[in-house]
Amino acid sequence: MRRALSLSLLACILASGCGDRYPIEDALDDRRMTASAHLKALNRYLAAGAGNRQLAKQDSCHLVLKKSRNAGPGERLVIALTNSQVDIASVPANDGLRVKVTQYHDGVRRVSLRLDVESWFDAVAWRSHFQQLQLKCRDARERAAASPPA
């Protein structure tokens, strides 16, 4: 009897601190983040990888990649969210990972951005923030198509 009571008490203690009782307010909710917050997160990774690049929002479906040059004016590249894809590949030379944003122009695949990161978590986080911007673009296009012309 005493052993059964001890086991049931132990089960109650374990059940109260495990599993689905994790406070969900601590979890990051990408869908509630603004486009600006996603850009800020993407730019933190870019600054850590190579401080001479920054993404800015052109409109809801286009980003501008600014590359500053030490010896002259910077380069600006427009990245269309609708036809971009993020790939993650390993980099054997430094045991890291490379995040690549590719776009298709006239049927030709072109790499618009390369970013080396150290961990799988960083690579997946970068891809997730980029994909959230793609979802926001799609939602904006759907809202525009659904609204009657003025």
Side-chain angles (χ1 to χ4, degrees):
M1 171 88 170
R2 189 175 185 170
R3 184 171 186 220
L5 183 60
S6 295
L7 287 175
S8 63
L9 180 61
L10 179 62
C12 287
I13 291 171
L14 291 175
S16 68
C18 297
D20 61 350
R21 298 203 189 283
Y22 184 80
I24 59 173
E25 60 272 2
D26 288 348
L28 178 63
D29 185 356
D30 283 345
R31 290 205 177 255
R32 286 193 290 173
M33 290 176 69
T34 64
S36 296
H38 286 296
L39 277 175
K40 187 180 275 188
L42 292 172
N43 282 324
R44 277 194 303 266
Y45 286 106
L46 287 175
N52 64 343
R53 299 177 294 175
Q54 184 178 20
L55 286 168
K57 185 176 174 182
Q58 179 174 314
D59 57 40
S60 60
C61 291
H62 296 87
L63 300 178
V64 176
L65 177 64
K66 300 175 186 176
K67 299 177 182 181
S68 61
R69 300 279 184 224
N70 295 338
E75 178 185 342
R76 295 171 50 96
L77 176 68
V78 176
I79 298 174
L81 292 170
T82 55
N83 72 340
S84 295
Q85 175 180 325
V86 178
D87 298 309
I88 299 171
S90 62
V91 181
N94 66 4
D95 292 331
L97 295 165
R98 177 164 292 154
V99 177
K100 292 190 295 185
V101 176
T102 56
Q103 298 186 87
Y104 290 90
H105 291 286
D106 299 324
V108 177
R109 183 176 176 202
R110 187 178 91 202
V111 175
S112 301
L113 181 137
R114 287 183 185 86
L115 173 66
D116 290 340
V117 294
E118 293 181 14
S119 72
W120 178 251
F121 177 82
D122 292 338
V124 171
W126 204 94
R127 180 178 62 190
S128 176
H129 287 293
F130 191 88
Q131 288 172 336
Q132 289 301 318
L133 290 173
Q134 289 177 312
L135 289 172
K136 288 181 183 301
C137 166
R138 185 198 67 200
D139 292 346
R141 284 186 170 204
E142 288 175 358
R143 280 192 307 275
S147 65

